[in-house]
Amino acid sequence: LQWLRNPGPQHERRTLFGDMVCFLFITPLATISGWLCLRGAVDHLHFSSRLEAVGLIALTVALFTIYLFWTLVSFRYHCRLYNEWRRTNQRVILLTPKAANAPCTQQSLLGLQPPKRNSKETIV
């Protein structure tokens, strides 16, 4: 969630948002178009020319090939951005060992709570 709140430069956020919007619009359109092409191909096989049916099937295959190619390239790009962000934006908390006989620490004198650790943080 932290990556979505601050994925990096502004153009990366716009690219992610734009790709999500395109995915939400293109997926139903590709599905409906493919179904209509295949339905037309079935009708042409039964009532009319086989050549038109083959053309509609080829159109459907081309449509889904382009859709899958765009989806995979977009997904791979955003995964690469996320992995690069994760590699360069690591949170490290340095913990110092507490002495057993020390009555109080600086944090308790200042009234600060000890830092909460997330499971993704590295303890050094």
Side-chain angles (χ1 to χ4, degrees), residues 19-30:
D19 283 347
M20 286 177 13
V21 168
C22 287
F23 182 78
L24 290 175
F25 281 118
I26 291 174
T27 300
L29 289 175

Side-chain angles (χ1 to χ4, degrees), residues 42-55:
V42 169
D43 289 344
H44 280 292
L45 280 175
H46 289 294
F47 301 114
S48 143
S49 151
R50 287 183 180 237
L51 184 60
E52 290 177 4
V54 170

Side-chain angles (χ1 to χ4, degrees), residues 6 8 12-13 21 31 43 55 59 64 80 82 86 88 105-107 109 116:
N6 185 16
E12 291 177 8
R13 184 177 296 155
V21 168
T31 304
D43 289 344
L59 180 64
F64 282 120
R80 188 171 47 93
Y82 172 71
R86 200 173 78 190
T88 59
T105 63
Q106 260 189 334
Q107 287 182 348
L109 287 174
K116 295 180 182 178

Side-chain angles (χ1 to χ4, degrees), residues 73-105:
V73 167
S74 178
F75 184 73
R76 183 173 175 247
Y77 172 74
H78 291 294
C79 285
R80 188 171 47 93
L81 283 180
Y82 172 71
N83 287 332
E84 182 181 323
W85 177 85
R86 200 173 78 190
R87 189 180 40 165
T88 59
N89 291 303
Q90 296 180 5
R91 290 186 64 193
V92 177
I93 295 176
L94 182 62
L95 298 176
T96 56
K98 294 181 180 179
N101 57 3
C104 61
T105 63

